[in-house]
Amino acid sequence: MRIARGKDFIGEWPDREIKERIKNGSLLPTDFYYDEEAADWLPLSEYLSKPPAPQKAEKSGMLPCYCGSHLRFQDCCGDSKQY
């Protein structure tokens, strides 16, 4: 995520590092981050108040089977089984 203080670009860090830098005071709630969804610079105070992003789905073959067994698809109904 890109961060600016006033009109000066100060760095780009992953989310977890942004949170650490806010905690230790090297980034301020009045600093700005670039939000690609909004296509605009927004204050970090808004970033802090955003709900957490939904977790990404697991890679194909790692998803639970649709049959309701709660096994991985590959282990339950995947190509490895003979019918």
Side-chain angles (χ1 to χ4, degrees):
M1 183 178 344
R2 292 177 277 179
I3 306 294
R5 182 166 291 150
K7 293 183 179 185
D8 298 324
F9 175 77
I10 59 173
E12 188 168 347
W13 299 281
D15 287 347
R16 66 174 166 37
E17 192 170 336
I18 299 281
K19 292 175 184 173
E20 289 173 17
R21 288 174 176 267
I22 290 169
K23 284 180 186 176
N24 73 24
S26 62
L27 290 177
L28 307 171
T30 54
D31 291 337
F32 292 90
Y33 75 100
Y34 186 75
D35 185 346
E36 293 179 10
E37 291 178 14
D40 203 1
W41 290 88
L42 301 171
L44 274 176
S45 59
E46 287 188 26
Y47 168 76
L48 295 172
S49 65
K50 283 176 102 174
Q55 292 182 345
K56 294 180 182 177
E58 296 179 24
K59 291 182 180 180
S60 179
M62 297 299 290
L63 295 173
C65 189
Y66 53 82
C67 73
S69 67
H70 301 291
L71 295 172
R72 292 181 327 141
F73 176 81
Q74 195 64 28
D75 294 338
C76 183
C77 298
D79 294 335
S80 62
K81 283 224 172 176
Q82 298 282 330
Y83 294 103

